């Protein structure tokens, strides 16, 4: 008998593919938002050209961890859950939530939205939605079975 007789090759479940695609989409939206903020200028984290470098480094690390997750790494799945699904998601939500809670006139808040600001809002919304879809996808029953068999 050969070693291959004992190894079971199980196809990557669709939920894991969805999770990986969601994470890549979130990263792309984050890069787009960072680039737009750098072009616009500003004082928030990552808004300058030099501020983009740490953000891009973080995104590359997250991409590497996501690739490991897509290959069955339970540790990577846990890191993504805590890092992206908790800490990262809170960091994405806190700024827009603070703005929404600080206004009394939602019409004025959204009525004068410049086109570049609308693109920023769209990038942030895509980023959040992609994370909200990706993290639970890693914990569907099929994905859970696949990770535990690896």
């Amino acid at each position: 008998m050969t070693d291959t007789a004992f190894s079971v090759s199980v196809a990557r479940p669709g939920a894991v593919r969805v999770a990986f695609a969601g994470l890549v989409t979130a990263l792309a939206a984050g890069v787009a938002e960072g680039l737009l903020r750098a072009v616009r200028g500003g004082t928030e984290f990552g808004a300058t050209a030099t501020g983009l470098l740490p953000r891009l480094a973080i995104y590359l690390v997250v991409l590497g961890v996501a690739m490991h997750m897509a290959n069955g790494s339970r540790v990577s799945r846990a890191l993504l859950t805590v890092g992206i699904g908790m800490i990262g998601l809170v960091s994405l939500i806190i700024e827009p939530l603070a703005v929404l809670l600080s206004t009394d006139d939602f019409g004025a808040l959204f009525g004068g939205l410049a086109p570049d600001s609308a693109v920023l809002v769209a990038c942030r919304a895509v980023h959040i939605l992609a994370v909200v879809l990706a993290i639970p996808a890693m914990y569907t029953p099929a994905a859970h079975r696949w990770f535990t068999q690896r």
Side-chain angles (χ1 to χ4, degrees):
M1 287 189 177
T2 65
D3 289 339
T4 58
F6 293 106
S7 65
V8 177
S9 177
V10 179
R12 184 178 296 129
V16 175
R17 290 192 302 270
V18 166
F20 182 74
L23 291 167
V24 170
T25 300
L27 290 172
V31 168
E33 181 181 349
L35 289 173
L36 183 56
R37 286 184 187 273
V39 168
R40 287 178 68 196
T43 58
E44 61 272 327
F45 171 72
T48 63
T50 56
L52 276 176
L53 294 177
R55 181 179 280 202
L56 291 175
I58 291 168
Y59 288 166
L60 285 174
V61 169
V62 171
L63 179 60
V65 173
M67 291 170 70
H68 282 283
M69 178 278 303
N71 287 323
S73 170
R74 289 183 299 244
V75 172
S76 294
R77 178 175 69 158
L79 286 171
L80 290 166
T81 300
V82 173
I84 301 302
M86 298 166 124
I87 298 166
L89 195 55
V90 167
S91 73
L92 289 172
I93 292 172
I94 201 157
E95 179 189 357
L97 187 59
V99 170
L100 286 173
L101 292 175
S102 68
T103 188
D104 292 329
D105 185 7
F106 291 110
L109 183 63
F110 294 108
L113 202 59
D116 60 339
S117 295
V119 172
L120 280 173
V121 168
C123 287
R124 180 67 59 99
V126 167
H127 197 157
I128 292 169
L129 182 60
V131 170
V132 167
L133 291 173
I135 299 302
M138 294 188 298
Y139 291 92
T140 62
H144 181 71
R145 278 190 305 275
W146 186 72
F147 281 111
T148 56
Q149 292 173 356
R150 309 288 308 157

